[in-house]
Amino acid sequence: MSKETRGRRSRQKSTGRTAPPEVRRAQLIEATIDSIAKYGLSGTTMSTVTQIAGLSQGIANFHFRSKKNMLCEALRFLAEEPHGMWKSQLANSGLTSAGKLLAIVDAHFHPKVCNPRKLAVWYGFFGEPVHRETYRELVRDIDSERWQVSLDLCRTICDEGGYGSVDPESVMRNLEALYDGFFLNILIYPDMFSPEEAKQLIRNFLARAFPGHFGQSAS
């Protein structure tokens, strides 16, 4: 058991019966993530989640009504986490277009977001056909917004740097593929591949596409 998990369970035990509803809900979502990481989507039940959270099944039923709702809320939480990070960064008017694109990249690989425990949830939804449509429905708007904002930034960078031969949409398709590939590497080989390496490799890719904007980021 990791130090992070021990700390989380200690907090759960100390607040389980006295915490307000929003805290209990957060505890259950965290426990759902833990359960999926350990047992997978099919092996996760109300019982496994409440056992991890140290709460009664009645509390879980009160907040989520069903296992499906509980899984959906865990996925929604994970989707909104990086979304909130990069949205807040982009509100910084001092960032350049390149800085804004890197803020979106870095949000994907923030330690709170990008770790085997949470990536297991994403790939659980990706891998099981019965849950794939649920994934698309829940995160379609967030994915579409990220794509469009990133694409607009790539177009702006092309205009700023005079990169006439660069296709912004091609850059974005490659960028999306890099996200997914690096997530899988971090999930499967956490001791061999890190989020920091992923960020640097993406900077290297962007430096090749937009050398005037990212050239100093490459190593």
Side-chain angles (χ1 to χ4, degrees):
M1 183 187 302
S2 69
K3 183 177 179 181
E4 178 188 1
T5 301
R6 286 196 300 271
R8 190 164 54 250
R9 292 188 181 179
S10 175
R11 290 191 295 273
Q12 288 167 352
K13 289 178 181 177
S14 65
T15 60
R17 297 185 179 279
T18 59
E22 61 271 19
V23 173
R24 287 178 174 170
R25 182 182 178 85
Q27 287 175 235
L28 288 165
I29 288 175
E30 291 287 350
T32 301
I33 295 168
D34 281 338
S35 180
I36 296 170
K38 184 173 182 179
Y39 303 114
L41 286 177
S42 59
T44 291
T45 64
M46 288 285 205
S47 178
T48 64
V49 170
T50 53
Q51 183 177 7
I52 291 171
L55 297 172
S56 71
Q57 193 158 330
I59 292 176
N61 286 327
F62 172 78
H63 284 285
F64 300 115
R65 305 298 181 191
S66 69
K67 171 184 169 177
K68 180 180 179 180
N69 289 341
M70 185 173 66
L71 295 177
C72 287
E73 288 308 305
L75 181 65
R76 192 192 311 277
F77 169 79
L78 293 182
E80 290 175 348
E81 202 171 27
H83 181 259
M85 287 181 184
W86 67 256
K87 289 275 283 188
S88 65
Q89 287 292 309
L90 265 60
N92 180 355
S93 60
L95 283 178
T96 64
S97 53
K100 290 179 179 179
L101 187 57
L102 287 180
I104 297 174
V105 171
D106 290 350
H108 282 75
F109 298 100
H110 190 284
K112 284 180 62 178
V113 170
C114 185
N115 56 67
R117 171 177 166 264
K118 291 184 176 179
L119 291 175
V121 180
W122 288 112
Y123 279 92
F125 276 88
F126 294 162
E128 296 191 23
V130 69
H131 295 295
R132 207 169 291 150
E133 184 57 35
T134 300
Y135 163 82
R136 285 194 288 261
E137 290 176 1
L138 282 173
V139 304
R140 183 181 289 117
D141 290 345
I142 288 176
D143 281 351
S144 295
E145 181 181 6
R146 186 196 67 248
W147 169 275
Q148 192 59 54
V149 170
S150 299
L151 179 59
D152 288 345
L153 287 169
C154 287
R155 287 170 173 160
T156 299
I157 291 168
C158 278
D159 291 341
E160 291 173 349
Y163 305 110
S165 63
V166 176
D167 177 8
E169 290 200 20
S170 178
V171 172
M172 275 306 304
R173 285 193 293 273
N174 279 279
L175 191 56
E176 290 286 317
L178 288 173
Y179 290 151
D180 290 339
F182 291 153
F183 289 154
L184 183 59
N185 277 338
I186 292 166
L187 175 63
I188 301 299
Y189 307 110
D191 297 330
M192 299 172 59
F193 198 86
S194 72
E196 288 303 316
E197 289 177 283
K199 289 195 295 184
Q200 184 58 56
L201 289 169
I202 288 178
R203 280 163 166 77
N204 292 348
F205 163 73
L206 291 172
R208 290 191 292 273
F210 307 119
H213 285 70
F214 298 97
Q216 294 180 350
S217 296
S219 62

